């Protein structure tokens, strides 16, 4: 009863976090890139 | 400051002030004033109606929503033995309070659109005044009147001395002591040179900024317009009653943002034409005088 | 849920690190970082509040009595910056840190070390900002909106402000990334997205808003910086630039920012009202969709702050209609809260009192928002005290009351003790009365013609200004009661809080012991739908 459910794996979790962070950073890079392009 | 008809303008203004009819309205803000002034233009009346309509709609919604809430707070108190029910949604109800607000809002958007269209339409103006905001004063240039170009009538308008001395930190003077000619308090709402305009004439204002952004606002005319450097904004008014209408700079523009009021003096057309002619004469005389003295070197800041 | 408590006690063996420095400065624990955020926000609330007290004292009567006009402008500018970026936003991030892992059954935030850095950027950011008061030329005085050309006209205070914006922006973005990564990846099995508490939902959406707009603000202020120091002319009309461009960039950030400051409060209220109504939240799904619609619409309404800049007719119509449309999902939320109370079994502990006040007073702020959306009427209201009244209703009786409701609501869980209900109620009643005395007369002042950001005014505005100032002083002083109550609860209170704390409390956070042990949910909990707060969402 105290155990987690099957398939709840720390490695999957870490990979998910990494994927989320990369996507979000790409989004930010695009937004900032638009601003940087103003200086060119 | 040596531009145009300022010196003569002051004289002519004094004459005009004396001649201003007793029927003129005075539109200062009143103590305990709760609402917008109705103003003296078609636009300001339309805006006032819109203001009241939207306010009453909000009051209506407020009565229903807060009423329901207050009833709930009394009826469903645990201390009165209320037992919680279990339901947690109702598609029908949720549809109702999505659709009904859309309809109410559309009912407000419709008149707002109409007023806006009217407000934006500067076509057919019989007169043009250029308004330039400076830190911390206004400049008014009369560009044309009834199809002809006005010759060099323009002047600076800044906070009147009577207010300026009182408003200094620790001046020891009471703001209540600053009184207009008619006895009303015009502290921080009086200027050295008033903007004189005719009543019953559609006036186009070209509003721009000389240094930073300001905003030209006289509540009785029903609108404000930002004065932005590098941009000329157009607005218009048509004042229905002679009188003195006061306003202030509305966009933060630096340390004396609170001390650059606007005073519009609306006079009957004939009187305005007289005033304008005097101004133009003054400008011509002034120019002649300067030409005659052209050989005399000017000090800095002159000319 | 006995099993969860047992598990909590098991977790309690991993205690917090000993040593003050290690525990608080090197912390990677979501609870400790949440506490740090909340303490920081409280500190900033009082610094910003002190500035507001000076502003209200100067405006107590006509004439200049206390400060020079330029310093007055420094105060209004800094008051806004400190309250927005220092008090409201960090308080919500603190609540997110504390509660999101507890609510979704996660052991911690997804990126605990970045979490530490997000917080510790803030003290540095605010040291930079506040130190600008001591610069020659003083603190920035061009308003928190930083409109050029005015904002780059003064001394170097603006550079400090820009670096501050960069630092706190990085902090916010990292916080937002962390929150999104946590919510998307760290939920306990069975905690489906549509079973999450509304507070988690609102924060998820808020975090996306932050990621979308903080870089825009950073870009905008950087252009301001290069305009001032490196000879560019983005916003300089004389060099071919356009001052209005800055306003577009700023408000593209600024309007979503308003929702960044209110959506998490919506979340808190959506937790508090069902708890004290002992009834599931009405229309859970509608609440989620309404929040998402508000967030979407918040990107296409920014120019409603710029109606008087002379936008073309088409633009003014579009932004008016879009702005009015926001009233619809916002209305759905208000109606759903009221309906949640309908048929409930209500008690009025302090969090509920703040929540009820929130619903009424935030709605009043929404009403003036609808009035402001009507372009021709906005030509009168814009830049007057009517606007000041509007956004203080939204941000003080909205965002700040939401935070206060949340703090009273969760404090027993954090500290393990009950706060003093008696003093909580005294704080509430003093606050709710004085805040209306403070802000309601501002509507009248604005309508009667008083512009905002002025240090002195005509005598016609004297009466309402004096009333408003008195309300302000009482409101400011009342907040000390809350501080006293919190200190009492954390350090001195005897009455232990139960695990569930509130009779009607639902959700995972109430299944761990009070105080919440240093580590919780090291092993994911089993989700029992009937014990979640959202009610039955299956149809
Ligand atoms: Cu100005
Ligand atoms: Cu907005």
């Amino acid at each position: 009863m105290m155990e987690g459910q099957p398939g709840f794996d720390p490695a999957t979790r870490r990979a998910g976090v990494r994927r989320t962070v990369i996507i979000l950073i790409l989004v930010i890079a695009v937004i900032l890139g638009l601003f940087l392009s103003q200086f060119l | 400051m040596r531009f145009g008809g300022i010196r003569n303008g002051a004289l002519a203004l004094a004459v005009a002030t004396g001649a201003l009819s007793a029927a003129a309205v005075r539109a200062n803000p009143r103590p305990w004033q709760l609402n917008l002034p109705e103003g003296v233009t078609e636009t300001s009346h339309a805006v006032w109606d819109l203001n009241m309509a939207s306010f009453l709609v909000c009051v209506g919604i407020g009565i229903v929503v807060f009423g329901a809430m207050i009833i709930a707070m009394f009826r469903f108190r645990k201390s009165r033995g209320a037992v919680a029910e279990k339901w947690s949604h109702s598609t029908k109800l949720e549809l109702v309070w999505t659709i009904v607000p859309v309809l109410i809002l559309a009912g407000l958007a419709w008149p707002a659109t109409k007023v806006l269209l009217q407000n934006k339409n500067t076509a057919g103006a019989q007169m043009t005044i250029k308004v330039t905001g400076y830190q911390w004063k206004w400049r008014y240039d009369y560009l044309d009147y009834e199809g002809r170009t006005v010759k060099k009538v323009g002047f600076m308008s800044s906070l009147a001395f009577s207010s300026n001395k009182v408003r200094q930190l620790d001046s020891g003077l009471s703001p209540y002591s600053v009184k207009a000619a008619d006895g009303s308090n015009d502290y921080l709402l009086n200027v050295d040179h008033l903007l004189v305009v005719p009543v019953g004439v559609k006036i186009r204002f070209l509003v721009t900024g000389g240094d930073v952004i300001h905003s030209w606002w006289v509540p009785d005319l029903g609108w404000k317009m930002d004065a932005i450097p590098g941009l000329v904004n157009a607005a218009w008014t048509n004042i229905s009653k002679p009188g003195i209408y006061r306003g202030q700079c509305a966009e933060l523009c630096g340390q004396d943002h609170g001390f650059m009021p606007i005073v519009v003096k609306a006079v009957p057309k004939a009187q305005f034409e007289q005033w304008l002619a005097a101004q133009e004469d003054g400008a011509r005389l002034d120019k002649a005088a300067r030409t005659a003295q052209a050989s005399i070197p000017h000090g800095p800041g002159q000319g | 849920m006995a099993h969860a408590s047992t598990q909590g006690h098991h977790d309690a063996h991993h205690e917090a690190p000993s040593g003050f420095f290690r525990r608080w400065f090197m912390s990677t624990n979501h609870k400790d970082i949440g506490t740090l955020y909340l303490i920081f926000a409280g500190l900033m609330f009082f610094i910003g509040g002190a500035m507001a007290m000076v502003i209200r004292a100067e405006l107590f009567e006509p004439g200049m009595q206390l400060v020079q006009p330029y310093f007055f402008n420094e105060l209004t500018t800094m008051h806004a910056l400190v309250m927005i970026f220092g008090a409201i936003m960090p308080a919500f991030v603190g609540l997110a840190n504390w509660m999101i892992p507890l609510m979704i059954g996660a052991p911690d935030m997804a990126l605990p070390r970045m979490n530490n850095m997000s917080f510790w950027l803030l003290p540095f950011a605010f040291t930079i900002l506040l130190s600008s008061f001591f610069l020659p030329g003083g603190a920035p005085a061009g308003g928190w909106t930083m409109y050029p050309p005015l904002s780059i006209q003064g001394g170097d205070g603006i550079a400090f402000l820009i670096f501050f914006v960069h630092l706190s922006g990085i902090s916010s973005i990292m916080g937002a990334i962390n929150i999104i990564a946590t919510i998307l990846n760290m939920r306990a099995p069975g905690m489906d997205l549509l079973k999450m508490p509304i507070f988690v939902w609102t924060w998820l959406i808020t975090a996306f808003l932050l990621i979308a707009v903080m870089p825009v603000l950073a870009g905008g202020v950087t252009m301001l910086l290069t305009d001032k120091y490196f000879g560019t002319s983005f916003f300089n009309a004389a060099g071919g630039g356009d001052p209005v461009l800055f306003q577009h960039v700023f408000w593209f950030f600024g309007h979503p920012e308003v929702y960044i400051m209110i959506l998490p409060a919506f979340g808190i209220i959506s937790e508090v009202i069902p708890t004290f109504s002992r009834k599931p939240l009405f229309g859970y799904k509608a609440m989620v969709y309404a929040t998402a619609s508000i967030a979407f619409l918040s990107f296409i309404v920014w120019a409603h702050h710029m109606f008087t800049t002379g936008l073309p007719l088409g633009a003014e119509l579009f932004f008016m209609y879009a702005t009015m449309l926001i009233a619809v999902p916002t209305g759905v939320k208000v109606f759903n809260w009221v309906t949640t109370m309908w048929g409930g079994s209500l008690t009025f502990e302090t969090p509920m009192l703040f929540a009820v006040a929130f619903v009424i007073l935030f709605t009043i702020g929404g009403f003036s928002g609808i009035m402001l959306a009507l372009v021709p009427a906005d030509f009168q209201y814009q830049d007057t005290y009517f606007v000041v009244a509007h956004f203080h209703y939204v941000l003080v009786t909205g965002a700040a009351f939401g935070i206060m409701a949340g703090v009273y609501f969760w404090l027993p869980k954090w500290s393990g003790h009950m706060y003093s209900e008696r003093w909580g109620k005294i704080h509430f009643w003093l606050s709710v009365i004085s805040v209306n005395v403070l802000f309601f007369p501002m509507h009248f002042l604005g309508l009667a013609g008083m512009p905002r950001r002025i240090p002195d005014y005509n005598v016609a505005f004297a009466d309402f200004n004096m009333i408003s100032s008195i309300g302000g002083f009482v409101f400011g002083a009342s907040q000390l009661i809350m501080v006293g109550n919190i200190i009492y609860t954390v350090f001195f209170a005897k009455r232990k809080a139960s695990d569930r704390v509130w009779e009607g409390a639902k959700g995972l956070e109430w299944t761990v012991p009070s105080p919440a042990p240093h580590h919780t949910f090291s092993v994911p909990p089993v989700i029992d739908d009937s014990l979640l707060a959202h009610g039955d969402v299956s149809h």
Side-chain angles (χ1 to χ4, degrees):
Chain A
M1 182 153 112
M2 280 166 57
E3 297 309 310
Q5 290 173 3
F8 191 71
D9 162 34
T12 331
R13 203 181 232 184
R14 256 198 308 272
V17 169
R18 192 170 304 134
R19 197 174 342 108
T20 311
V21 172
I22 289 171
I23 292 170
L24 294 177
I25 288 176
L26 283 177
V27 169
I28 294 166
V30 168
I31 299 172
L32 283 177
L34 286 173
F35 274 93
L36 283 176
S37 70
Q38 299 302 304
F39 289 90
L40 299 178
Chain B
M1 191 62 239
R2 289 289 179 276
F3 189 89
I6 289 191
R7 276 170 288 165
N8 306 293
L11 235 170
L13 268 177
V15 175
T17 313
L20 188 61
S21 71
V25 277
R26 191 184 81 229
N28 291 13
R30 299 181 315 276
W32 304 105
Q33 183 177 332
L34 298 178
N35 201 353
L36 283 176
E38 284 186 61
V40 288
T41 65
E42 227 177 285
T43 308
S44 72
H45 288 130
V47 168
W48 195 86
D49 291 340
L50 199 56
N51 167 65
M52 287 320 287
S54 56
F55 171 69
L56 290 175
V57 165
C58 291
V59 169
I61 300 171
I63 289 173
V64 173
V65 176
F66 303 154
M69 205 165 163
I70 288 163
I71 292 170
M73 285 193 285
F74 282 97
R75 247 178 76 185
F76 305 110
R77 269 172 185 271
K78 196 184 178 208
S79 56
R80 294 189 55 201
V83 178
E85 290 160 34
K86 294 269 178 274
W87 45 270
S88 65
H89 57 267
S90 151
T91 315
K92 211 185 286 166
L93 264 181
E94 288 174 272
L95 270 177
V96 166
W97 57 55
T98 311
I99 292 164
V100 171
V102 171
L103 298 177
I104 295 174
L105 289 170
L108 282 176
W110 176 249
T113 306
K114 266 190 8 205
V115 179
L116 182 64
L117 288 174
Q118 178 200 334
N119 190 302
K120 282 276 188 182
N121 181 12
T122 55
Q126 297 142 273
M127 181 182 177
T128 308
I129 298 174
K130 184 179 167 212
V131 178
T132 315
Y134 290 100
Q135 288 174 313
W136 291 275
K137 49 192 174 287
W138 295 96
R139 178 175 179 86
Y140 301 113
D141 290 290
Y142 293 73
L143 300 187
D144 58 56
Y145 179 67
E146 304 215 311
R148 74 181 174 83
T149 310
V150 176
K151 291 188 206 77
K152 288 215 163 182
V153 176
F155 50 85
M156 287 286 183
S157 173
S158 35
L159 183 66
F161 180 72
S162 56
S163 287
N164 197 39
K165 128 189 116 176
V166 173
R167 67 101 176 172
Q168 302 301 325
L169 186 59
D170 296 323
S171 67
L173 300 166
S174 166
Y176 291 90
S177 68
V178 181
K179 294 262 164 71
D182 61 2
S184 66
N185 183 294
D186 59 0
Y187 177 59
L188 297 184
L189 294 177
N190 52 2
V191 292
D192 49 2
H193 301 292
L194 297 80
L195 175 68
V196 181
V197 297
V199 298
V201 170
K202 182 164 182 176
I203 309 166
R204 175 172 52 218
F205 289 92
L206 299 178
V207 186
T208 189
D211 36 41
V212 301
I213 303 174
H214 303 263
S215 191
W216 198 84
W217 179 38
V218 177
D220 282 297
L221 306 190
W223 50 264
K224 67 174 65 67
M225 180 56 84
D226 288 1
I228 302 169
L231 192 74
V232 179
N233 280 327
W236 68 275
T237 194
N238 189 341
I239 300 172
S240 61
K241 290 192 198 106
I244 292 188
Y245 307 108
R246 299 172 194 277
Q248 289 178 267
C249 174
E251 178 66 56
L252 178 64
C253 58
Q255 74 172 26
D256 288 348
H257 161 56
F259 308 106
M260 48 182 292
I262 296 149
V263 184
V264 175
K265 176 173 162 167
V267 297
K269 234 178 130 176
Q271 203 179 320
F272 172 76
E273 281 161 9
Q274 225 176 330
W275 176 85
L276 191 66
Q279 294 292 310
E280 288 185 292
D281 280 351
R284 208 181 55 235
L285 288 174
D286 201 53
K287 195 187 169 211
R290 273 190 284 129
T291 318
Q293 294 174 12
S295 55
I296 303 164
H298 286 298
Q302 284 191 318
Chain C
M1 290 185 87
H3 63 281
S5 308
T6 329
Q7 172 215 335
H9 288 303
H10 163 75
D11 286 337
H13 292 303
H14 315 280
E15 260 318 316
S18 53
F20 184 81
F21 185 83
R22 277 205 48 173
R23 164 132 195 220
W24 295 107
F25 286 79
M26 318 257 295
S27 178
T28 56
N29 178 281
H30 74 100
K31 301 187 184 74
D32 284 353
I33 292 176
T35 305
L36 288 172
Y37 264 112
L38 287 166
I39 292 170
F40 181 82
L43 187 69
M44 287 297 142
F45 182 58
F46 281 93
I47 293 176
M51 294 175 193
M53 293 299 107
V54 180
I55 291 170
R56 277 327 312 175
E58 177 56 62
L59 292 173
F60 188 73
E61 52 182 12
M64 300 296 295
Q65 290 87 20
L66 295 174
V67 295
Q68 290 292 358
Y70 191 82
F71 186 67
F72 184 89
N73 290 348
E74 291 177 35
L75 286 177
T76 51
T77 304
M78 297 290 271
H79 163 73
L81 291 166
V82 168
M83 286 305 202
I84 291 168
F85 295 100
I88 303 281
M89 289 170 71
F92 281 132
V93 181
L95 294 172
N97 257 295
W98 250 105
M99 302 319 298
I100 288 176
L102 288 181
M103 286 176 155
I104 61 175
D108 204 308
M109 298 294 281
L111 305 148
R113 277 166 296 191
M114 191 167 88
N115 204 9
N116 175 291
M117 188 172 169
S118 309
F119 172 75
W120 281 106
L121 279 175
L122 286 181
F124 294 98
F126 277 89
T127 308
I128 290 176
L129 181 69
L130 293 170
S131 69
S132 67
F133 270 117
F134 305 102
L135 286 176
W144 83 279
T145 48
M146 301 176 257
Y147 283 6
L150 179 65
S151 63
I152 54 175
Q153 203 182 45
D156 294 325
I158 186 70
F160 280 53
L161 168 53
I162 290 167
F163 291 135
F164 155 80
V165 168
H166 285 153
L167 279 184
S168 72
I170 293 170
S171 161
S172 294
I173 288 173
M174 292 199 308
I177 290 177
N178 207 347
I179 286 168
I180 293 173
T182 306
I183 297 173
L184 293 187
N185 299 292
M186 305 284 284
R187 279 169 290 128
M191 177 58 81
D192 302 340
L193 282 175
L194 277 175
K195 286 181 188 168
M196 297 195 306
I198 292 284
F199 178 69
V200 181
W201 258 112
T202 55
W203 242 118
L204 178 65
I205 290 165
T206 301
F208 277 109
L209 289 182
L210 275 169
I211 284 182
V213 302
M214 290 313 286
V216 175
L217 177 66
V221 296
T222 307
M223 291 155 92
L224 212 52
L225 188 80
T226 60
D227 264 15
K228 182 169 169 72
Y229 292 100
F230 304 108
T232 58
S233 290
F234 292 114
F235 312 126
N236 175 9
D242 180 3
V244 180
L245 172 65
F246 179 84
Q247 300 188 19
H248 282 292
V249 174
F250 182 86
W251 287 113
F252 185 82
F253 146 81
H255 191 83
E257 170 69 13
V258 174
Y259 288 98
I260 288 166
M261 291 189 282
I262 200 65
L263 292 185
F266 287 173
I268 296 168
I269 300 308
S270 304
E271 304 299 326
V272 171
I273 287 184
T275 301
F276 296 96
S277 303
R278 292 162 183 78
K279 185 163 158 282
L281 181 68
F282 182 83
Y284 170 89
K285 272 188 181 165
M287 289 301 231
V288 173
Y289 297 145
T291 311
S293 333
I294 290 171
F296 170 74
L297 288 172
S298 77
F299 285 110
I300 53 165
V301 297
W302 76 88
H304 62 211
H305 300 267
M306 302 165 57
F307 284 151
T308 61
T309 59
L311 297 173
L313 175 66
E316 296 199 322
L317 287 176
F318 172 81
F319 284 107
M320 168 167 74
Y321 300 149
T323 303
M324 295 176 84
L325 216 50
I326 290 199
V328 176
T330 313
V332 167
K333 295 206 142 247
V334 172
F335 301 139
N336 282 7
W337 289 322
V338 175
T339 318
T340 304
M341 290 167 66
W342 196 269
S345 170
L346 302 173
T347 53
F348 294 91
E349 289 85 346
T350 310
M352 182 62 164
L353 289 173
F354 274 102
V356 169
F358 173 100
V359 174
I360 294 176
L361 299 175
F362 173 81
T363 304
I364 290 176
F367 286 156
S368 52
I370 293 175
M371 295 172 76
L372 281 158
L374 306 171
V375 182
D378 181 76
F379 288 162
Q380 287 279 41
Y381 307 140
Q382 170 72 12
D383 276 321
T384 70
Y385 259 84
F386 190 79
V387 176
V388 178
H390 160 70
F391 66 72
H392 279 97
Y393 265 88
V394 174
L395 289 178
V396 178
T397 57
F401 271 29
I403 292 165
M404 290 173 192
V407 167
Y408 281 112
F409 187 48
W410 288 310
L411 186 60
K413 176 56 64 190
W414 303 334
S415 69
H417 297 285
M418 286 309 287
Y419 61 84
S420 160
E421 195 59 61
R422 179 200 171 93
W423 283 101
K425 288 206 165 101
I426 293 172
H427 170 225
F428 168 77
W429 283 109
L430 277 173
S431 294
V432 79
I433 293 167
S434 62
V435 86
N436 283 292
V437 175
L438 166 58
F439 294 124
F440 209 82
M442 290 183 182
H443 291 113
F444 307 140
L445 286 170
L447 292 171
M450 182 168 159
R452 62 190 282 208
R453 294 166 161 169
I454 58 173
D456 196 4
Y457 47 81
N458 181 264
V459 299
F461 305 129
D463 306 294
F464 282 130
N465 266 296
M466 189 177 284
I467 293 173
S468 174
S469 287
I470 292 168
F473 301 143
V474 176
F475 183 73
S478 313
Q479 304 320 306
L480 295 169
I481 298 173
M482 181 169 181
V483 177
N485 206 344
I486 292 171
I487 291 173
Y488 159 82
T489 312
V490 174
F491 297 108
F492 306 105
K494 301 264 165 0
R495 229 185 102 207
K496 291 263 177 263
S498 67
D499 291 358
R500 186 149 296 278
V501 182
W502 311 108
E503 188 192 9
K506 288 202 165 180
L508 289 178
E509 74 267 40
W510 307 106
T511 63
V512 302
S514 301
H518 201 62
H519 295 285
T520 38
F521 299 128
S522 302
V523 179
V526 177
I527 309 291
D528 178 346
D529 279 2
S530 68
L531 295 172
L532 297 178
H534 52 73
D536 186 1
V537 290
S538 51
H539 38 264

